[in-house]
Amino acid sequence: MSANIKSIVEDFALTWLTEHGFELVDVEYVKEGSNWFLRIYVDKDGGIDIDDCGRISEFVSAKLDELDPISDAYFLEVSSPGAERPLKKPQDFVKAEGKTVFITTYEPIQKLKEFEGLLTKVTDEHLTVRVGKKEYEIPRDKVAGARLAIVF
């Protein structure tokens, strides 16, 4: 059910967001404790502000009222993906090239399942990450999760 709601929201939100200069980063519909949350993560060049979140929330709320795909009570949250934004779509990885990333894999690659380092190369098949002085070529189909990483 949650995958269906995610898909419905992505379908109607993507066009509107793109037309208004926003990027749909992710949609989550999750239960935490006894509460359901519909979270929409959005970004744009220069970042989003509270007014942007308000406009997007109003649009999404009105569209959800019209379509009525959710039978449970839920909280709608619209926000930026933050500094450690997830990398999911192919273009996310291309934009992250040259930045520090944190990648986890489904199975070990050269005995490691976690890689934090500079994303030096992105192809359709592999991601190359430099950790210290060593480079790792990670097959895309082995990536369990990826996000930008903050370096302190």
Short mmCIF file of all heavy atoms in Angstrom, two decimals, residues 8-60:
data_model
loop_
_atom_site.label_atom_id
_atom_site.label_comp_id
_atom_site.label_asym_id
_atom_site.label_seq_id
_atom_site.Cartn_x
_atom_site.Cartn_y
_atom_site.Cartn_z
N ILE A 8 1.64 7.24 -6.49
CA ILE A 8 0.58 8.21 -6.80
C ILE A 8 1.08 9.64 -6.59
O ILE A 8 0.91 10.51 -7.44
CB ILE A 8 -0.68 7.94 -5.95
CG1 ILE A 8 -1.34 6.64 -6.40
CG2 ILE A 8 -1.66 9.12 -6.01
CD1 ILE A 8 -2.42 6.13 -5.45
N VAL A 9 1.73 9.87 -5.45
CA VAL A 9 2.23 11.21 -5.14
C VAL A 9 3.33 11.61 -6.13
O VAL A 9 3.32 12.73 -6.63
CB VAL A 9 2.74 11.28 -3.68
CG1 VAL A 9 3.43 12.62 -3.41
CG2 VAL A 9 1.58 11.07 -2.71
N GLU A 10 4.25 10.70 -6.42
CA GLU A 10 5.30 11.01 -7.40
C GLU A 10 4.69 11.37 -8.74
O GLU A 10 5.13 12.33 -9.39
CB GLU A 10 6.25 9.82 -7.56
CG GLU A 10 7.18 9.63 -6.38
CD GLU A 10 8.00 8.35 -6.47
OE1 GLU A 10 7.65 7.44 -7.26
OE2 GLU A 10 9.00 8.25 -5.74
N ASP A 11 3.68 10.62 -9.17
CA ASP A 11 3.07 10.85 -10.48
C ASP A 11 2.46 12.25 -10.60
O ASP A 11 2.68 12.94 -11.58
CB ASP A 11 2.00 9.80 -10.78
CG ASP A 11 2.58 8.44 -11.12
OD1 ASP A 11 3.81 8.36 -11.36
OD2 ASP A 11 1.82 7.46 -11.13
N PHE A 12 1.70 12.67 -9.59
CA PHE A 12 1.05 13.98 -9.74
C PHE A 12 1.96 15.13 -9.35
O PHE A 12 1.81 16.24 -9.85
CB PHE A 12 -0.30 14.05 -9.00
CG PHE A 12 -0.24 14.21 -7.51
CD1 PHE A 12 0.15 15.39 -6.91
CD2 PHE A 12 -0.65 13.16 -6.69
CE1 PHE A 12 0.17 15.53 -5.54
CE2 PHE A 12 -0.64 13.29 -5.31
CZ PHE A 12 -0.22 14.49 -4.74
N ALA A 13 2.93 14.90 -8.47
CA ALA A 13 3.78 16.00 -8.00
C ALA A 13 4.91 16.34 -8.95
O ALA A 13 5.28 17.51 -9.08
CB ALA A 13 4.34 15.66 -6.62
N LEU A 14 5.43 15.34 -9.64
CA LEU A 14 6.63 15.55 -10.46
C LEU A 14 6.45 16.65 -11.50
O LEU A 14 7.28 17.55 -11.61
CB LEU A 14 7.04 14.23 -11.13
CG LEU A 14 8.36 14.27 -11.89
CD1 LEU A 14 9.51 14.63 -10.97
CD2 LEU A 14 8.62 12.92 -12.54
N THR A 15 5.38 16.61 -12.25
CA THR A 15 5.15 17.60 -13.31
C THR A 15 5.03 19.00 -12.72
O THR A 15 5.68 19.94 -13.19
CB THR A 15 3.89 17.25 -14.13
OG1 THR A 15 4.07 15.95 -14.68
CG2 THR A 15 3.66 18.25 -15.24
N TRP A 16 4.19 19.14 -11.69
CA TRP A 16 3.99 20.46 -11.07
C TRP A 16 5.30 21.00 -10.50
O TRP A 16 5.64 22.17 -10.71
CB TRP A 16 2.93 20.36 -9.97
CG TRP A 16 2.53 21.69 -9.41
CD1 TRP A 16 1.52 22.50 -9.85
CD2 TRP A 16 3.13 22.38 -8.29
NE1 TRP A 16 1.45 23.64 -9.08
CE2 TRP A 16 2.43 23.58 -8.12
CE3 TRP A 16 4.19 22.08 -7.44
CZ2 TRP A 16 2.77 24.51 -7.12
CZ3 TRP A 16 4.51 23.00 -6.44
CH2 TRP A 16 3.81 24.18 -6.29
N LEU A 17 6.03 20.16 -9.80
CA LEU A 17 7.29 20.61 -9.20
C LEU A 17 8.29 21.03 -10.26
O LEU A 17 8.93 22.09 -10.14
CB LEU A 17 7.88 19.49 -8.33
CG LEU A 17 7.13 19.21 -7.04
CD1 LEU A 17 7.61 17.91 -6.41
CD2 LEU A 17 7.25 20.37 -6.05
N THR A 18 8.42 20.24 -11.32
CA THR A 18 9.35 20.57 -12.40
C THR A 18 8.96 21.89 -13.06
O THR A 18 9.82 22.74 -13.31
CB THR A 18 9.38 19.43 -13.44
OG1 THR A 18 9.76 18.22 -12.77
CG2 THR A 18 10.38 19.72 -14.55
N GLU A 19 7.67 22.08 -13.32
CA GLU A 19 7.19 23.33 -13.93
C GLU A 19 7.49 24.55 -13.07
O GLU A 19 7.62 25.66 -13.58
CB GLU A 19 5.68 23.25 -14.20
CG GLU A 19 5.30 22.34 -15.33
CD GLU A 19 3.80 22.13 -15.46
OE1 GLU A 19 3.03 22.64 -14.61
OE2 GLU A 19 3.39 21.43 -16.41
N HIS A 20 7.59 24.35 -11.75
CA HIS A 20 7.82 25.46 -10.83
C HIS A 20 9.28 25.54 -10.37
O HIS A 20 9.59 26.24 -9.40
CB HIS A 20 6.87 25.35 -9.64
CG HIS A 20 5.46 25.65 -10.01
ND1 HIS A 20 4.61 24.69 -10.54
CD2 HIS A 20 4.74 26.79 -9.98
CE1 HIS A 20 3.44 25.24 -10.79
NE2 HIS A 20 3.49 26.52 -10.47
N GLY A 21 10.17 24.81 -11.06
CA GLY A 21 11.60 24.93 -10.80
C GLY A 21 12.14 24.10 -9.66
O GLY A 21 13.25 24.34 -9.18
N PHE A 22 11.36 23.11 -9.22
CA PHE A 22 11.80 22.25 -8.12
C PHE A 22 12.20 20.87 -8.63
O PHE A 22 11.78 20.44 -9.69
CB PHE A 22 10.67 22.08 -7.09
CG PHE A 22 10.24 23.35 -6.44
CD1 PHE A 22 9.06 23.98 -6.83
CD2 PHE A 22 11.00 23.94 -5.44
CE1 PHE A 22 8.65 25.15 -6.23
CE2 PHE A 22 10.59 25.12 -4.84
CZ PHE A 22 9.41 25.73 -5.23
N GLU A 23 12.98 20.18 -7.81
CA GLU A 23 13.36 18.80 -8.08
C GLU A 23 12.74 17.92 -7.00
O GLU A 23 12.91 18.18 -5.80
CB GLU A 23 14.88 18.65 -8.04
CG GLU A 23 15.35 17.22 -8.16
CD GLU A 23 16.82 17.04 -7.80
OE1 GLU A 23 17.51 18.03 -7.49
OE2 GLU A 23 17.25 15.88 -7.82
N LEU A 24 12.01 16.90 -7.42
CA LEU A 24 11.48 15.92 -6.47
C LEU A 24 12.60 14.95 -6.14
O LEU A 24 13.05 14.19 -7.00
CB LEU A 24 10.28 15.17 -7.06
CG LEU A 24 9.65 14.09 -6.18
CD1 LEU A 24 9.11 14.69 -4.89
CD2 LEU A 24 8.54 13.38 -6.94
N VAL A 25 13.07 14.98 -4.90
CA VAL A 25 14.19 14.13 -4.48
C VAL A 25 13.69 12.77 -4.03
O VAL A 25 14.22 11.74 -4.42
CB VAL A 25 15.00 14.82 -3.36
CG1 VAL A 25 16.09 13.90 -2.84
CG2 VAL A 25 15.59 16.13 -3.87
N ASP A 26 12.63 12.76 -3.20
CA ASP A 26 12.14 11.48 -2.67
C ASP A 26 10.75 11.68 -2.08
O ASP A 26 10.36 12.80 -1.70
CB ASP A 26 13.09 10.96 -1.60
CG ASP A 26 12.93 9.47 -1.32
OD1 ASP A 26 12.21 8.78 -2.09
OD2 ASP A 26 13.52 8.98 -0.34
N VAL A 27 10.01 10.59 -1.99
CA VAL A 27 8.71 10.55 -1.32
C VAL A 27 8.73 9.33 -0.41
O VAL A 27 9.13 8.24 -0.84
CB VAL A 27 7.54 10.42 -2.33
CG1 VAL A 27 6.20 10.25 -1.61
CG2 VAL A 27 7.49 11.62 -3.27
N GLU A 28 8.29 9.52 0.83
CA GLU A 28 8.18 8.41 1.78
C GLU A 28 6.78 8.41 2.37
O GLU A 28 6.23 9.47 2.68
CB GLU A 28 9.14 8.59 2.97
CG GLU A 28 10.58 8.57 2.69
CD GLU A 28 11.41 8.82 3.95
OE1 GLU A 28 10.92 9.42 4.91
OE2 GLU A 28 12.57 8.41 3.94
N TYR A 29 6.22 7.24 2.53
CA TYR A 29 4.98 7.09 3.28
C TYR A 29 5.27 6.00 4.30
O TYR A 29 5.36 4.82 3.94
CB TYR A 29 3.81 6.72 2.36
CG TYR A 29 2.49 6.64 3.09
CD1 TYR A 29 1.95 7.77 3.71
CD2 TYR A 29 1.79 5.45 3.18
CE1 TYR A 29 0.74 7.70 4.39
CE2 TYR A 29 0.58 5.38 3.86
CZ TYR A 29 0.06 6.50 4.46
OH TYR A 29 -1.12 6.43 5.14
N VAL A 30 5.49 6.41 5.55
CA VAL A 30 5.97 5.48 6.57
C VAL A 30 5.16 5.62 7.86
O VAL A 30 4.63 6.68 8.17
CB VAL A 30 7.47 5.71 6.89
CG1 VAL A 30 8.34 5.39 5.70
CG2 VAL A 30 7.72 7.13 7.37
N LYS A 31 5.10 4.51 8.59
CA LYS A 31 4.46 4.50 9.90
C LYS A 31 5.54 4.55 10.96
O LYS A 31 6.48 3.76 10.93
CB LYS A 31 3.60 3.25 10.08
CG LYS A 31 2.74 3.31 11.33
CD LYS A 31 1.70 2.22 11.34
CE LYS A 31 0.76 2.47 12.52
NZ LYS A 31 -0.33 1.51 12.54
N GLU A 32 5.42 5.50 11.86
CA GLU A 32 6.35 5.64 12.97
C GLU A 32 5.52 5.66 14.24
O GLU A 32 4.73 6.59 14.45
CB GLU A 32 7.18 6.91 12.84
CG GLU A 32 8.11 6.86 11.64
CD GLU A 32 8.93 8.12 11.44
OE1 GLU A 32 8.81 9.06 12.25
OE2 GLU A 32 9.69 8.17 10.46
N GLY A 33 5.66 4.62 15.03
CA GLY A 33 4.80 4.47 16.20
C GLY A 33 3.38 4.25 15.71
O GLY A 33 3.13 3.40 14.85
N SER A 34 2.45 5.05 16.21
CA SER A 34 1.06 4.90 15.78
C SER A 34 0.68 5.89 14.68
O SER A 34 -0.47 5.92 14.25
CB SER A 34 0.13 5.08 16.98
OG SER A 34 0.29 6.39 17.52
N ASN A 35 1.64 6.69 14.22
CA ASN A 35 1.36 7.74 13.24
C ASN A 35 1.93 7.43 11.86
O ASN A 35 3.02 6.87 11.74
CB ASN A 35 1.93 9.08 13.71
CG ASN A 35 1.30 9.57 14.98
OD1 ASN A 35 0.09 9.57 15.12
ND2 ASN A 35 2.13 9.97 15.94
N TRP A 36 1.18 7.82 10.83
CA TRP A 36 1.63 7.73 9.44
C TRP A 36 2.17 9.09 9.01
O TRP A 36 1.60 10.13 9.37
CB TRP A 36 0.49 7.33 8.52
CG TRP A 36 0.18 5.87 8.58
CD1 TRP A 36 -0.76 5.26 9.35
CD2 TRP A 36 0.81 4.83 7.83
NE1 TRP A 36 -0.75 3.91 9.13
CE2 TRP A 36 0.20 3.62 8.21
CE3 TRP A 36 1.84 4.81 6.89
CZ2 TRP A 36 0.60 2.39 7.66
CZ3 TRP A 36 2.23 3.60 6.35
CH2 TRP A 36 1.60 2.41 6.74
N PHE A 37 3.26 9.09 8.23
CA PHE A 37 3.87 10.31 7.72
C PHE A 37 4.05 10.19 6.22
O PHE A 37 4.59 9.21 5.73
CB PHE A 37 5.24 10.55 8.35
CG PHE A 37 5.18 10.90 9.81
CD1 PHE A 37 5.15 9.89 10.77
CD2 PHE A 37 5.13 12.21 10.23
CE1 PHE A 37 5.09 10.19 12.12
CE2 PHE A 37 5.07 12.52 11.57
CZ PHE A 37 5.05 11.51 12.53
N LEU A 38 3.60 11.22 5.50
CA LEU A 38 3.88 11.36 4.08
C LEU A 38 4.91 12.47 3.99
O LEU A 38 4.61 13.63 4.29
CB LEU A 38 2.62 11.72 3.29
CG LEU A 38 2.83 12.00 1.80
CD1 LEU A 38 3.43 10.79 1.08
CD2 LEU A 38 1.53 12.40 1.14
N ARG A 39 6.14 12.08 3.63
CA ARG A 39 7.23 13.05 3.55
C ARG A 39 7.65 13.23 2.10
O ARG A 39 7.89 12.26 1.39
CB ARG A 39 8.42 12.56 4.37
CG ARG A 39 8.13 12.52 5.85
CD ARG A 39 9.38 12.22 6.67
NE ARG A 39 9.06 12.27 8.08
CZ ARG A 39 9.06 11.20 8.88
NH1 ARG A 39 9.39 10.01 8.42
NH2 ARG A 39 8.74 11.33 10.15
N ILE A 40 7.74 14.48 1.72
CA ILE A 40 8.15 14.82 0.36
C ILE A 40 9.40 15.69 0.47
O ILE A 40 9.38 16.74 1.11
CB ILE A 40 7.02 15.57 -0.37
CG1 ILE A 40 5.77 14.68 -0.38
CG2 ILE A 40 7.45 15.96 -1.77
CD1 ILE A 40 4.53 15.35 -0.91
N TYR A 41 10.47 15.20 -0.13
CA TYR A 41 11.74 15.91 -0.10
C TYR A 41 11.96 16.58 -1.45
O TYR A 41 11.91 15.92 -2.49
CB TYR A 41 12.89 14.93 0.20
CG TYR A 41 12.75 14.28 1.54
CD1 TYR A 41 12.19 13.01 1.66
CD2 TYR A 41 13.15 14.93 2.71
CE1 TYR A 41 12.05 12.40 2.90
CE2 TYR A 41 13.01 14.33 3.95
CZ TYR A 41 12.46 13.06 4.04
OH TYR A 41 12.31 12.46 5.27
N VAL A 42 12.18 17.90 -1.40
CA VAL A 42 12.25 18.71 -2.61
C VAL A 42 13.47 19.61 -2.53
O VAL A 42 13.87 20.05 -1.45
CB VAL A 42 10.97 19.56 -2.74
CG1 VAL A 42 10.98 20.39 -4.00
CG2 VAL A 42 9.73 18.68 -2.70
N ASP A 43 14.04 19.91 -3.69
CA ASP A 43 15.19 20.82 -3.73
C ASP A 43 15.06 21.70 -4.97
O ASP A 43 14.20 21.47 -5.83
CB ASP A 43 16.48 20.00 -3.79
CG ASP A 43 17.67 20.75 -3.21
OD1 ASP A 43 17.52 21.93 -2.80
OD2 ASP A 43 18.76 20.17 -3.16
N LYS A 44 15.90 22.72 -5.04
CA LYS A 44 16.03 23.57 -6.23
C LYS A 44 17.38 24.24 -6.16
O LYS A 44 18.03 24.24 -5.11
CB LYS A 44 14.90 24.60 -6.33
CG LYS A 44 14.98 25.73 -5.34
CD LYS A 44 13.91 26.78 -5.59
CE LYS A 44 14.08 27.93 -4.61
NZ LYS A 44 13.06 28.93 -4.73
N ASP A 45 17.82 24.78 -7.28
CA ASP A 45 19.09 25.51 -7.28
C ASP A 45 19.02 26.61 -6.23
O ASP A 45 18.05 27.36 -6.18
CB ASP A 45 19.37 26.12 -8.66
CG ASP A 45 19.73 25.07 -9.69
OD1 ASP A 45 20.13 23.95 -9.30
OD2 ASP A 45 19.62 25.36 -10.90
N GLY A 46 20.02 26.67 -5.39
CA GLY A 46 20.05 27.67 -4.33
C GLY A 46 19.33 27.21 -3.07
O GLY A 46 19.34 27.91 -2.07
N GLY A 47 18.70 26.04 -3.10
CA GLY A 47 18.00 25.51 -1.93
C GLY A 47 16.57 26.02 -1.82
O GLY A 47 16.19 26.97 -2.49
N ILE A 48 15.79 25.34 -0.98
CA ILE A 48 14.40 25.74 -0.78
C ILE A 48 14.26 26.44 0.56
O ILE A 48 15.07 26.25 1.47
CB ILE A 48 13.42 24.56 -0.90
CG1 ILE A 48 13.62 23.54 0.21
CG2 ILE A 48 13.52 23.90 -2.25
CD1 ILE A 48 12.52 22.52 0.28
N ASP A 49 13.22 27.25 0.68
CA ASP A 49 12.96 27.94 1.94
C ASP A 49 11.56 27.59 2.44
O ASP A 49 10.83 26.83 1.81
CB ASP A 49 13.15 29.46 1.79
CG ASP A 49 12.24 30.08 0.74
OD1 ASP A 49 11.12 29.57 0.51
OD2 ASP A 49 12.63 31.12 0.16
N ILE A 50 11.19 28.16 3.56
CA ILE A 50 9.91 27.85 4.20
C ILE A 50 8.72 28.23 3.30
O ILE A 50 7.71 27.52 3.29
CB ILE A 50 9.81 28.50 5.60
CG1 ILE A 50 8.65 27.92 6.40
CG2 ILE A 50 9.70 30.00 5.51
CD1 ILE A 50 8.92 26.57 6.96
N ASP A 51 8.86 29.30 2.54
CA ASP A 51 7.78 29.69 1.63
C ASP A 51 7.59 28.65 0.53
O ASP A 51 6.46 28.33 0.15
CB ASP A 51 8.05 31.07 1.01
CG ASP A 51 7.98 32.19 2.04
OD1 ASP A 51 7.26 32.03 3.05
OD2 ASP A 51 8.66 33.22 1.84
N ASP A 52 8.70 28.13 0.00
CA ASP A 52 8.62 27.07 -1.00
C ASP A 52 7.90 25.85 -0.43
O ASP A 52 7.01 25.28 -1.07
CB ASP A 52 10.02 26.65 -1.47
CG ASP A 52 10.76 27.72 -2.23
OD1 ASP A 52 10.11 28.53 -2.93
OD2 ASP A 52 12.01 27.75 -2.14
N CYS A 53 8.30 25.46 0.78
CA CYS A 53 7.66 24.29 1.43
C CYS A 53 6.17 24.52 1.60
O CYS A 53 5.36 23.61 1.39
CB CYS A 53 8.32 24.00 2.78
SG CYS A 53 10.01 23.38 2.64
N GLY A 54 5.79 25.72 1.97
CA GLY A 54 4.37 26.05 2.15
C GLY A 54 3.60 25.95 0.84
O GLY A 54 2.50 25.37 0.82
N ARG A 55 4.14 26.50 -0.24
CA ARG A 55 3.47 26.42 -1.55
C ARG A 55 3.31 24.98 -2.00
O ARG A 55 2.25 24.57 -2.48
CB ARG A 55 4.29 27.17 -2.62
CG ARG A 55 4.14 28.65 -2.61
CD ARG A 55 4.97 29.36 -3.66
NE ARG A 55 4.92 28.74 -4.98
CZ ARG A 55 5.97 28.66 -5.79
NH1 ARG A 55 7.14 29.12 -5.45
NH2 ARG A 55 5.84 28.10 -6.98
N ILE A 56 4.37 24.19 -1.84
CA ILE A 56 4.33 22.79 -2.26
C ILE A 56 3.34 22.02 -1.40
O ILE A 56 2.54 21.22 -1.91
CB ILE A 56 5.74 22.17 -2.18
CG1 ILE A 56 6.66 22.86 -3.20
CG2 ILE A 56 5.69 20.67 -2.43
CD1 ILE A 56 8.14 22.62 -2.97
N SER A 57 3.34 22.27 -0.11
CA SER A 57 2.42 21.59 0.80
C SER A 57 0.97 21.89 0.44
O SER A 57 0.13 20.99 0.43
CB SER A 57 2.72 22.02 2.24
OG SER A 57 1.88 21.34 3.14
N GLU A 58 0.67 23.14 0.12
CA GLU A 58 -0.69 23.52 -0.28
C GLU A 58 -1.12 22.78 -1.54
O GLU A 58 -2.23 22.27 -1.62
CB GLU A 58 -0.78 25.03 -0.50
CG GLU A 58 -0.78 25.82 0.79
CD GLU A 58 -0.76 27.32 0.55
OE1 GLU A 58 -1.06 27.77 -0.59
OE2 GLU A 58 -0.45 28.06 1.50
N PHE A 59 -0.22 22.73 -2.54
CA PHE A 59 -0.54 22.02 -3.78
C PHE A 59 -0.79 20.54 -3.51
O PHE A 59 -1.79 19.97 -3.95
CB PHE A 59 0.58 22.19 -4.81
CG PHE A 59 0.48 21.20 -5.94
CD1 PHE A 59 -0.48 21.37 -6.93
CD2 PHE A 59 1.30 20.08 -5.99
CE1 PHE A 59 -0.61 20.44 -7.96
CE2 PHE A 59 1.18 19.16 -7.01
CZ PHE A 59 0.23 19.34 -7.99
N VAL A 60 0.15 19.90 -2.79
CA VAL A 60 0.05 18.46 -2.53
C VAL A 60 -1.20 18.15 -1.72
O VAL A 60 -1.93 17.20 -2.02
CB VAL A 60 1.33 17.94 -1.83
CG1 VAL A 60 1.13 16.52 -1.33
CG2 VAL A 60 2.52 18.01 -2.77
#
